[in-house]
Amino acid sequence: MAKEVSNGNNIVTVKSPPEPSPLRKARFFKANMRILVTGGAGFIGSHLVDKLMENENNETIKTNVIGTLNMLGLAKRVGARILLTSTSEVYGDPLVHPQDESYWGNVNPIGVRSCYDEGKRVAETLMFDYHRQHGVEIRIARIFNTYGPRMNIDDGRVVSNFIAQAIRDEPLTVQLPGTQTRSFCYVSDMVDGLIRLMEGDNTGPINIGNPGEFTMLELAETVKEMINPDVKIVTVENTPDDPRQRKPVITKANELLGWEPKIRLKEGIPLMEEDFRRRLAIPRNN
């Protein structure tokens, strides 16, 4: 819109600034809005990012639920087979050990971790609803802890944490009590299992993971021994609802897919260390 402004004996036409896109006022746009913070590593910017990230849990569950719905809709339209990489987190803090696919889990639905746990559980439900109601061909893998090259160095996962800390000559931070267990599958084994599941005839869910079970203290000692014997191991407070134990039963994967992991933890750690050292530009001192 333009308006006329008097300037002495002359009349000047002044254009109003353009209206923002109507999408800015649309409810669906606001719900999916992304925010770019330039200078987010600075003093005020870093605090601003912390505040904005308080909404991350909502995005986690929306990604699992809405993202799965979108992909199922696409698979239905084009007649595609769809693979969901679910997670061992659907078992929660398990009361059954080790965990097989028949176990329904022990999940706190209102805990700080529940956005991820329950999001994946709902995603599995949606997969089977579309399979039963619309004939969509589905595959569901429940993947257990996976590690290997290309992991985000500072993603907060325990293996990447310990390896990065050892390379940087920092203390290895073990969350209390340190006796909680996890099972670690090397990424090439995981990929092999996922491909076999996708190409096979079984819908799942099928556990894909390495049944070798380690406490967090055992993992820290292994990383220390293999990468940096001089680092210290310290304990820190744990996060709420942290599962006490985690180990897959892989009978289904073995019998239905002919799959079992091949890479042991002590074989996989050096391969991941090599990748981290290259990206961190910290060579090994021989």
Side-chain angles (χ1 to χ4, degrees):
M1 181 181 294
K3 62 180 180 179
E4 294 181 345
V5 178
S6 176
N7 182 14
N9 296 325
N10 300 316
I11 296 178
V12 179
T13 301
V14 179
K15 289 186 177 181
S16 302
E19 286 288 321
S21 166
L23 290 175
R24 291 293 301 274
K25 299 178 181 179
R27 283 191 298 174
F28 82 88
F29 182 88
K30 292 180 181 179
N32 292 281
M33 182 170 58
R34 296 292 182 268
I35 301 171
L36 171 64
V37 180
T38 60
F43 170 51
I44 297 176
S46 64
H47 288 270
L48 175 61
V49 169
D50 287 344
K51 184 66 176 178
L52 294 172
M53 287 296 289
E54 290 177 3
N55 294 324
E56 182 182 3
N57 285 353
N58 290 335
E59 295 303 318
T60 298
I61 198 164
K62 283 165 62 179
T63 298
N64 280 317
V65 177
I66 299 175
T68 301
L69 270 173
N70 289 339
M71 295 310 298
L72 281 166
L74 175 62
K76 177 186 173 185
R77 286 196 302 274
V78 303
R81 180 183 301 171
I82 179 171
L83 168 69
L84 172 70
T85 52
S86 187
T87 172
S88 59
E89 294 291 335
V90 299
Y91 299 124
D93 186 8
L95 304 178
V96 172
H97 190 73
Q99 297 81 52
D100 67 19
E101 295 86 350
S102 67
Y103 179 51
W104 290 357
N106 177 45
V107 176
N108 175 6
I110 58 172
V112 295
R113 301 167 61 99
S114 61
C115 61
Y116 183 65
D117 302 358
E118 296 289 26
K120 287 293 191 180
R121 288 161 69 93
V122 172
E124 289 193 14
T125 299
L126 291 170
M127 291 281 286
F128 270 95
D129 283 347
Y130 268 70
H131 175 62
R132 286 186 288 253
Q133 296 175 23
H134 305 294
V136 174
E137 196 175 359
I138 65 168
R139 304 288 185 268
I140 298 177
R142 289 179 178 163
I143 66 175
F144 283 66
N145 291 65
T146 307
Y147 71 102
R150 302 186 200 167
M151 286 187 78
N152 188 323
I153 291 173
D154 296 305
D155 66 2
R157 290 179 171 86
V158 65
V159 180
S160 50
N161 275 1
F162 286 172
I163 291 179
Q165 287 167 343
I167 290 173
R168 290 167 169 159
D169 204 27
E170 299 170 353
L172 310 188
T173 51
V174 176
Q175 292 189 344
L176 290 170
T179 54
Q180 63 271 39
T181 68
R182 296 293 184 272
S183 302
F184 302 103
C185 185
Y186 191 69
V187 64
S188 62
D189 285 333
M190 177 60 62
V191 168
D192 179 41
L194 293 175
I195 291 174
R196 287 172 184 251
L197 175 58
M198 190 62 173
E199 293 179 346
D201 297 325
N202 195 279
T203 61
I206 292 182
N207 289 339
I208 306 290
N210 193 319
E213 185 179 17
F214 299 86
T215 69
M216 296 302 94
L217 280 171
E218 288 173 338
L219 175 64
E221 291 286 358
T222 300
V223 170
K224 174 179 178 176
E225 173 191 346
M226 299 185 69
I227 297 179
N228 188 347
D230 295 327
V231 295
K232 295 181 180 179
I233 296 175
V234 299
T235 55
V236 296
E237 288 300 316
N238 204 341
T239 54
D241 296 327
D242 186 44
R244 292 163 295 174
Q245 49 192 4
R246 187 64 55 73
K247 176 181 178 178
V249 174
I250 61 169
T251 304
K252 270 192 173 183
N254 186 257
E255 294 179 350
L256 299 175
L257 308 179
W259 178 87
E260 62 181 359
K262 297 179 174 62
I263 308 295
R264 296 181 298 111
L265 185 64
K266 285 194 173 184
E267 297 170 328
I269 286 177
L271 301 174
M272 191 165 168
E273 178 194 359
E274 180 183 352
D275 173 65
F276 272 33
R277 285 193 181 278
R278 178 182 55 79
R279 287 193 279 153
L280 290 169
I282 304 177
R284 174 182 278 276
N285 295 324
N286 295 323

